[in-house]
Amino acid sequence: MTTSLRTTGRALRGTLSAGAVAAAAVVPLLCAAPAQAATSATSVYVWATGVNVRACPQVSSACPPISHAQIGKRWVTAFCQRTGSEVTDGPYRNNWWVQADAGGPIGWISAVYVRGGGNDEPVPGLPTDSDCR
């Protein structure tokens, strides 16, 4: 009985070692893609309520708001920004648009509603045009 336990123990150690090696080889492969995707995303704060999400960076009949997609007073994931039509809200105006994901469809919101920057200026720290999806 002692011999069979030793043999079984050696077999299990061999199996666990092989399994650990296989898992160690697979984990970096699984983690590589999400880590690269995360580096291009930035969190930005939307300071207004009822901000429309659009399929393109314009306010026009060619680019209506996405149905049931509005953002309000919270942090969202932003990918990039580019210029589009100008939006004015009180003393604020901006022709930059931010591509964002607030847990719904990825779309465009006016930078006038994103904290940071000034009138007709891009949002600081957010990549521009060429980095957009």
Side-chain angles (χ1 to χ4, degrees):
M1 185 126 181
T2 305
T3 305
S4 96
L5 283 176
R6 282 188 199 145
T7 305
T8 304
R10 270 186 250 138
L12 284 175
R13 276 193 300 273
T15 302
L16 292 175
S17 296
V21 170
V26 170
V27 169
L29 295 174
L30 294 175
C31 295
Q36 289 171 343
T39 59
S40 64
T42 304
S43 290
V44 297
Y45 187 76
V46 176
W47 60 264
T49 58
V51 176
N52 288 320
V53 178
R54 296 177 181 272
C56 60
Q58 297 181 32
V59 176
S60 70
S61 59
C63 193
I66 297 172
S67 182
H68 304 294
Q70 287 190 333
I71 301 172
K73 292 190 178 187
R74 64 187 186 125
W75 290 92
V76 299
T77 302
F79 303 102
C80 66
Q81 59 189 329
R82 66 171 46 140
T83 57
S85 59
E86 185 166 275
V87 172
T88 301
D89 189 338
Y92 307 110
R93 69 179 188 284
N94 209 312
N95 62 340
W96 284 89
W97 288 73
V98 175
Q99 187 183 49
D101 179 0
I106 293 174
W108 295 90
I109 59 173
S110 172
V112 79
Y113 301 114
V114 176
R115 182 186 293 163
N119 284 336
D120 291 327
E121 292 181 2
V123 177
L126 192 57
T128 57
D129 291 321
S130 62
D131 299 313
C132 294
R133 293 179 180 189

